Amino acid sequence: MRRLAYVAGLASLVMACGASSEPSSSRAHTPGDTAVPIPPEAQQQAARASGVGRLLFEYDKVAAEGTDVMLANADATDRASLGGYLVLHDALRWSVVFFTKGDDPRICARITIEPGKPPVFQRVRPAEPASDAERIAIRTRQAAIAAVPSVVQPLNPVVFTGADAVEVRRLAGELGSGPPDEKVIVYLLAGSTRPNVAVLGRHYRAVARTDGTIEKIEPMSKAPIEIPMAPPPGAKSAGLMVSHVLGDWPTEAHVFASLLYRHPVFVMTARGNFSVDGERIERLSP
């Protein structure tokens, strides 16, 4: 198993009793601290973190559900040919599309997920050509993975196209005053081979053109961050604590982690300490 380093600074599980694996002089504030208003210059960053973090969580949840359905239905032929998946989203439904390996990926299964209904599995055999939109998403997904300098954790891609890509760019302040040009936004969410850990990095965010050219790819933390989730006997976890040195404010990765692990995330930055509880972000008093 590959050994993973913690991000420079702190990353730990916070105990309800106040215990922490870190020295008290460098600990983050815990839930009893008083919340103060987020400064005006951070309002857009907070809106971005909340909005994009929620979308990442929704896409990731659908991907997990679709993968479970695929594994329950896949035969030996399916398993031998699988190259990856895409989550697609429109106003009516979600779907998870699985595609084959190779330079010319083809669609081999589709799973439709609608609220209040059981997932619908459709095997596609022989595998069929991807649509134009699917080809763009697959091409960009693969290009983003290839652009990661060194892969040391499993990476779960989230590909935003169409209206969702525009919304993600709007929240990030990346749109000008005119009509938006077409881009694809790819998040590569780190996973882990270790059991019972919360993964807060190393995630990546990429901006790409529809021809698959990666315009920008950036890590969202300085190193992998994996926090053991099991508290000591008799203790109860109150949240996750992490330092963030690549920016001054919490990010969508912290919102995603709070929603995924159902724990508050206490984020320490150069501009102060913050509580991220689901989509709610508060600044904690010194």
Side-chain angles (χ1 to χ4, degrees):
M1 183 181 298
R2 190 183 297 272
R3 184 177 181 275
L4 297 173
Y6 282 121
V7 67
L10 303 175
S12 68
L13 188 70
V14 180
M15 305 303 153
C17 60
S20 169
S21 61
E22 304 296 340
S24 59
S25 61
S26 58
R27 278 177 45 211
H29 294 283
T30 52
D33 293 309
T34 303
V36 297
I38 292 178
E41 64 269 26
Q43 293 294 335
Q44 181 179 339
Q45 294 295 328
R48 166 184 173 165
S50 295
V52 180
R54 164 57 68 177
L55 270 176
L56 288 172
F57 174 70
E58 291 175 347
Y59 268 73
D60 184 74
K61 181 172 65 175
V62 170
E65 184 175 0
T67 300
D68 287 344
V69 173
M70 184 66 191
L71 292 176
N73 288 275
D75 60 18
T77 301
D78 295 325
R79 295 175 187 274
S81 66
L82 280 178
Y85 66 85
L86 289 173
V87 175
L88 305 175
H89 177 220
D90 61 32
L92 298 177
R93 64 183 61 84
W94 294 83
S95 60
V96 186
V97 174
F98 289 84
F99 56 87
T100 59
K101 301 174 184 176
D103 295 334
D104 180 28
R106 300 169 77 85
I107 305 304
C108 58
R110 298 182 188 275
I111 297 164
T112 303
I113 299 174
E114 297 183 60
K117 298 181 180 180
V120 177
F121 172 77
Q122 177 192 6
R123 178 178 284 110
V124 182
R125 190 174 291 170
E128 64 185 22
S131 68
D132 289 345
E134 290 165 344
R135 281 198 299 272
I136 288 171
I138 292 170
R139 182 168 58 231
T140 309
R141 175 194 193 273
Q142 305 302 79
I145 294 172
V148 174
S150 177
V151 177
V152 298
Q153 295 163 286
L155 295 175
N156 301 306
V158 174
V159 183
F160 293 122
T161 60
D164 281 349
V166 172
E167 175 64 6
V168 168
R169 294 173 65 204
R170 183 190 69 79
L171 288 165
E174 295 174 343
L175 295 181
S177 57
D181 52 342
E182 193 172 357
K183 301 287 185 185
V184 179
I185 307 298
V186 181
Y187 282 83
L188 302 174
L189 302 177
S192 177
T193 58
R194 300 196 302 164
N196 202 26
V197 295
V199 181
L200 278 80
R202 191 177 200 185
H203 309 313
Y204 290 83
R205 182 184 191 268
V207 179
R209 296 200 291 267
T210 55
D211 65 359
T213 302
I214 303 298
E215 294 186 344
K216 177 174 64 174
I217 184 166
E218 297 176 327
M220 300 184 72
S221 65
K222 285 187 69 67
I225 308 171
E226 299 191 9
I227 304 174
M229 289 289 288
K236 182 179 179 181
S237 60
L240 304 167
M241 179 178 68
V242 66
S243 62
H244 179 55
V245 298
L246 293 184
D248 292 335
W249 322 106
T251 72
E252 52 266 41
H254 302 124
V255 172
F256 169 71
S258 180
L259 291 168
L260 180 63
Y261 300 113
R262 300 181 181 181
H263 274 61
V265 178
F266 302 103
V267 184
M268 296 178 294
T269 80
R271 296 291 296 270
N273 298 330
F274 297 83
S275 167
V276 178
D277 192 354
E279 297 171 67
R280 187 173 71 249
I281 300 173
E282 296 179 326
R283 189 178 186 184
L284 301 176
S285 61

